[in-house]
């Protein structure tokens, strides 16, 4: 009798532990950023993708994104392929303030009574012109993810940053510069040679 009670308690404890362990392993989906190319080069364009990973039943989302206006100038936005893979969508890139460095309330939603989308993918792409050299923080705010029942989905938010650098001369430019310096050095060495005396 005691042995039976012991095994019941042990089995119950194991089941409870397993339930908590399963919850710990089921991590929240992750919202993050990826820049291409990186670092960004002064005077060129760079794309910043908003990524979602490990999401289940995503029906709609919204977020705002801030950037350093001294380094980046927003030029355009486009809808990512992730949500539209589930059906027709209603997409809005939000309002942009380049003087403050803010893209406010970008949102997208599926249309109709359909299930949400699960998995990993790109939610949106923002294109910037690199106008300065340094390191721009890229920070999310106003984040909201909804499932097909219009219930809020938990999400882990990973803010990002983008380094920007001066343009680096191409290898051919370095070769031309080196050849020019070598030629200049050769001319200088010739001009310093003593002139030979004329024969008597």
């Amino acid at each position: 009798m005691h042995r039976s009670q012991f095994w019941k308690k042990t089995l119950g404890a194991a089941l409870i532990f397993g339930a908590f362990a399963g919850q710990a392993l089921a991590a929240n989906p992750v919202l993050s950023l990826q820049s291409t190319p990186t670092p960004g080069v002064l005077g060129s364009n760079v794309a910043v993708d908003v990524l979602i990973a490990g999401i289940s039943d995503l029906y709609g989302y919204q977020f705002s994104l801030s950037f350093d206006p001294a380094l980046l100038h927003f030029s355009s936005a486009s809808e990512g392929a992730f949500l539209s893979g589930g059906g027709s969508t209603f997409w809005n890139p939000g309002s942009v303030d380049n003087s403050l460095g803010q893209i406010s309330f970008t949102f997208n939603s599926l249309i109709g009574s359909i299930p949400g989308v699960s998995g990993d993918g790109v939610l949106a792409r923002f294109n910037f012109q690199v106008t300065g050299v340094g390191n721009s923080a890229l920070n999310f705010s106003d984040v909201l993810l909804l499932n097909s029942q219009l219930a809020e989905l938990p999400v882990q938010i990973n803010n990002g940053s983008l380094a920007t650098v001066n343009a680096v001369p191409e290898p051919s430019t370095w070769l031309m510069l080196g050849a020019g310096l070598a030629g200049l050095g050769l001319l200088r060495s010739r001009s310093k040679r003593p002139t030979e005396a004329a024969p008597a």
Side-chain angles (χ1 to χ4, degrees):
M1 186 70 178
H2 293 294
R3 181 174 296 179
S4 174
Q5 290 177 349
F6 169 78
W7 282 113
K8 284 181 181 178
K9 289 181 180 179
T10 303
L11 181 59
L15 291 173
I16 292 171
F17 176 78
F20 280 114
Q23 290 177 0
L25 290 174
N28 289 338
V30 178
L31 185 68
S32 62
L33 298 158
Q34 179 177 316
S35 304
T36 308
T38 184
V41 178
L42 183 64
S44 67
N45 297 317
V46 63
V48 176
D49 287 339
V50 179
L51 308 177
I52 191 69
I55 194 75
S56 295
D57 191 30
L58 179 64
Y59 189 85
Y61 64 82
Q62 76 166 32
F63 60 83
S64 299
L65 185 69
S66 63
F67 58 93
D68 188 338
L71 305 180
L72 300 172
H73 183 89
F74 172 88
S75 56
S76 65
S78 58
E79 177 186 5
F82 181 71
L83 200 61
S84 60
S88 298
T89 58
F90 179 58
W91 149 262
N92 189 299
S95 59
V96 179
D97 190 327
N98 269 312
S99 61
L100 293 178
Q102 184 76 20
I103 305 168
S104 300
F105 297 105
T106 298
F107 69 85
N108 199 8
S109 175
L110 289 166
I111 299 172
S113 182
I114 57 177
V117 183
S118 301
D120 310 335
V122 179
L123 297 182
R125 168 170 286 189
F126 298 113
N127 297 303
F128 296 90
Q129 183 180 15
V130 180
T131 56
V133 174
N135 192 66
S136 172
L138 300 170
N139 293 326
F140 287 109
S141 59
D142 308 312
V143 175
L144 178 65
L145 305 181
L146 299 177
N147 64 18
S148 58
Q149 304 302 311
L150 302 185
E152 185 172 354
L153 294 168
V155 63
Q156 175 185 324
I157 298 171
N158 289 352
N159 293 314
S161 63
L162 173 61
T164 60
V165 297
N166 281 309
V168 179
E170 295 181 1
S172 58
T173 305
W174 285 113
L175 289 173
M176 290 175 63
L177 179 61
L181 290 174
L184 182 61
L186 184 61
L187 286 174
R188 289 188 65 186
S189 65
R190 284 183 178 178
S191 66
K192 289 182 178 180
R193 289 181 182 174
T195 55
E196 296 180 1

